[in-house]
Amino acid sequence: MFTIIGERINTTLKMVQAAVADRDADYIQDDVIQQAEAGATYIDVNAGARIGHETEDMKWLLEVIQKATDLPLCLDSPDPDVLEIAYGLVSQKPLVNSISLEKDRFEPMFAYLQGKECRIIALCMDDSGMPRSVDDIVSRAHRLVGELGRIGFKHEDIFIDPLIQPVGVDTNNCRMAMAAVKAITTELEGVHVTGGLSNISYGLPQRRIVNRTFLSFMMAVGMDSAIMDPLDSALMACVRTSEMLNGNDDYCMNFLKGVRAGTIVS
Ligand code: THG
């Protein structure tokens, strides 16, 4: 099954930021319920945009969101302290977003993750910066999975994020991500691959068609999760259709169910 990480509770979005600043629980809960109904597997929670307020905003969001849904949460922060506090406040096994190979991030995360009940998103980032080649991505994925394995993480609990970079910045970026994901899913059996889908279209017009086409390319090479907007119904139809074409929908059941429910239309 494709893992959909609903991205909409993120304080970089103006409406969400205003709702968080005003402590408008109804707005947040209504959005989360819509994401759940649309088929989200996890709800991503990112409270990073109001500088100096991240911890209190994250705590408030976690309380409000868990009153509206039983879905597990994807705890999204670059700050290991915020992630540790958030971890203590969730009732379902969370997806922790994220760890990377950057020293400042790796060491505190690695220390607190020992023995924790969670899944983890592992970014192919190290202190030399964003990956510049297929080999950068694949070698970092191997290191991350190896290190996480040492503290008991099974492949099925690790989501590698290859770090999707805009095709408008370098037209090779899609091909690079595809080749890397193909190698990762072949060499590291059972490891999941996710990423911020809309990064690919950054700076281009008509972003949604770019995001959709990219998603189906990436699913063909083994990407089995994305951080995305589950309320984008054409994108959701693309997920279901790509799963079927990829051989992951027995008897085309889910596709046909979606068509009957009216959620997949061409
Ligand atoms: N990898 C991992 N985590 C991530 C990202 C990633 N978390 C944050 C981000 N990237 C994914 N989350 C979002 C949330 C909202 C939007 C995009 C990514 C979004 N963007 C619109 C856009 O890009 O045009 C609208 C922006 C706006 O309205 O201001 O909605 O890569 N592990």
Side-chain angles (χ1 to χ4, degrees):
M1 260 292 266
F2 193 82
T3 300
I4 293 162
I5 305 170
E7 72 185 7
R8 298 172 55 84
I9 304 300
N10 188 316
T11 51
T12 58
L13 304 176
K14 276 195 217 86
M15 298 289 281
V16 175
Q17 180 158 166
V20 170
D22 298 344
R23 293 298 189 249
D24 179 354
D26 289 345
Y27 178 91
I28 301 295
Q29 290 173 333
D30 180 60
D31 190 287
V32 165
I33 290 164
Q34 287 186 55
Q35 292 191 69
E37 282 172 355
T41 322
Y42 286 92
I43 303 292
D44 188 270
V45 187
N46 184 317
R50 294 194 334 126
I51 307 298
H53 296 271
E54 184 175 9
T55 303
E56 49 175 299
D57 286 352
M58 179 61 98
K59 285 185 183 166
W60 179 78
L61 278 168
L62 295 177
E63 187 186 330
V64 162
I65 291 167
Q66 290 182 101
K67 283 184 188 149
T69 183
D70 290 329
L71 282 185
L73 305 182
C74 175
L75 306 172
D76 187 354
S77 173
D79 184 339
D81 294 333
V82 171
L83 291 176
E84 187 163 7
I85 292 165
Y87 177 85
L89 297 172
V90 293
S91 54
Q92 306 263 14
K93 178 174 168 175
L95 179 55
V96 174
N97 184 10
S98 53
I99 191 171
S100 76
L101 294 164
E102 297 155 285
K103 228 175 177 352
D104 287 0
R105 206 148 157 187
F106 182 81
E107 285 176 357
M109 287 297 293
F110 195 73
Y112 107 77
L113 283 171
Q114 308 240 11
K116 294 285 193 295
E117 260 296 294
C118 64
R119 304 174 102 188
I120 182 103
I121 297 179
L123 306 182
C124 293
M125 178 78 122
D126 69 14
D127 285 316
S128 70
M130 293 293 277
R132 283 181 295 265
S133 66
V134 174
D135 186 59
D136 277 353
I137 303 173
V138 177
S139 62
R140 292 171 192 187
H142 274 277
R143 270 160 63 209
L144 285 159
V145 172
E147 295 284 1
L148 289 167
R150 288 205 294 128
I151 52 169
F153 279 84
K154 302 190 199 81
H155 282 193
E156 67 184 39
D157 285 330
I158 301 172
F159 287 69
I160 294 292
D161 182 338
L163 294 175
I164 294 156
Q165 298 174 69
V167 72
V169 169
D170 183 333
T171 50
N172 193 45
N173 277 338
C174 173
R175 303 288 312 172
M176 178 171 80
M178 285 174 71
V181 169
K182 176 100 191 168
I184 291 166
T185 54
T186 308
E187 294 166 18
L188 293 163
E189 211 185 330
V191 163
H192 300 284
V193 174
T194 194
L197 190 68
S198 63
N199 296 348
I200 195 66
S201 61
Y202 184 79
L204 288 174
Q206 299 296 339
R207 294 181 64 178
R208 284 154 43 114
I209 183 65
V210 181
N211 298 343
R212 290 204 295 269
T213 307
F214 177 64
L215 181 67
S216 84
F217 276 30
M218 292 295 277
M219 287 177 72
V221 290
M223 188 180 196
D224 66 350
S225 171
I227 305 167
M228 55 177 260
D229 183 359
L231 300 192
D232 179 340
S233 54
L235 183 60
M236 291 296 279
C238 176
V239 171
R240 302 293 172 228
T241 307
S242 301
E243 276 198 299
M244 174 178 72
L245 293 174
N246 222 1
N248 293 326
D249 182 8
D250 289 346
Y251 307 103
C252 309
M253 286 278 273
N254 291 332
F255 179 82
L256 294 170
K257 230 197 280 177
V259 171
R260 276 196 297 273
T263 54
I264 298 174
V265 282
S266 51

